[in-house]
Amino acid sequence: MSARMLALTPQWIMFDQFWIALKRRNLWLITLRYGAVLALTVFLAGMAALPQLQVDTLPIAIITVCILAYNVVLHRSIGAVPAAYAPFHGLHVALIQISADLVALMGIIYYTGGIESPFFLFFIFHIIIGSLILPSSIVSTIIVCSLSAMLTGVLLEFHGLIPHHDIAGFLGAPLYTNAPYITVFFIVFTFTLLVSNYLANSISKELYLRERSLTRAYKQLEDAEKTKSRYVMSVVH
């Protein structure tokens, strides 16, 4: 089981079209990340233009620059690994991208209010994307690690062991010290992530299996046509 998780490759992936589609999706993630950098830049500009809302912009700006930097590195190096190099392939690139994005997202969430942050919802978006690319077991591990890290941060803020950074003026009353809210939030949030992973991964696997069946059927038709052509040629001669 552990060796399979390290390999990242599900047993049902046995056709070339999957790897072609995966490369497109990795490039799509890189393109989408440039849009995220632009959105964060607009957010920082908006915070500067709205005096009634105040947030610690320096850490968010640093995280934005880091996102842009590793995205440029990924964009330039995504084609540098030879296709025949078995230990490293498109699934590893996808895992690196999603893991780096989640780490950056947790930083943004912390500096925009923690459990009060509106950016919390972007976790669902990332989990759905990950479930469309990576095996369900890998995404489930990512969910457990992410939830553990977020819950630890929220509890440390709740007990005053780390400072709380929020968007001043965004909420009328603080929520990070509200124990019932924290409990209900994490129960609902955990359930949403797990269901999103299951549904997205199930749909993705079904589509890949159907595409594999169509690819095999097309190959069989091609082989049958070649056999027919050889037979006709032999009869003519």
Side-chain angles (χ1 to χ4, degrees), residues 61-124:
I62 293 174
I63 293 172
T64 303
V65 172
C66 290
I67 293 173
L68 178 61
Y70 76 70
N71 199 46
V72 170
V73 171
L74 284 168
H75 200 175
R76 293 173 63 91
S77 62
I78 194 170
V81 179
Y85 185 57
F88 195 90
H89 49 60
L91 285 173
H92 291 89
V93 174
L95 178 59
I96 290 172
Q97 291 197 74
I98 293 171
S99 299
D101 287 343
L102 289 177
V103 171
L105 180 58
M106 283 191 280
I108 293 171
I109 287 173
Y110 173 68
Y111 285 105
T112 55
I115 200 168
E116 303 170 350
S117 174
F119 290 98
F120 241 111
L121 295 176
F122 282 96
F123 260 102
I124 302 174

Side-chain angles (χ1 to χ4, degrees), residues 24-45:
R24 288 199 306 265
R25 291 184 180 183
N26 275 323
L27 290 172
W28 177 75
L29 280 176
I30 289 173
T31 303
L32 192 64
R33 196 171 295 109
Y34 285 122
V37 170
L38 178 60
L40 285 170
T41 304
V42 172
F43 170 76
L44 292 172

Side-chain angles (χ1 to χ4, degrees), residues 177-188:
T177 55
N178 188 325
Y181 173 79
I182 293 173
T183 302
V184 173
F185 177 90
F186 270 97
I187 291 174
V188 174

Side-chain angles (χ1 to χ4, degrees), residues 126-171:
H126 279 83
I127 292 303
I128 291 175
I129 291 179
S131 300
L132 293 173
I133 301 175
L134 297 169
S136 179
S137 58
I138 299 297
V139 181
S140 296
T141 303
I142 291 174
I143 290 174
V144 172
C145 293
S146 299
L147 286 173
S148 300
M150 289 187 295
L151 182 58
T152 300
V154 168
L155 292 177
L156 289 175
E157 285 189 28
F158 179 82
H159 292 288
L161 298 176
I162 59 174
H164 175 69
H165 300 268
D166 62 354
I167 303 176
F170 180 65
L171 295 175

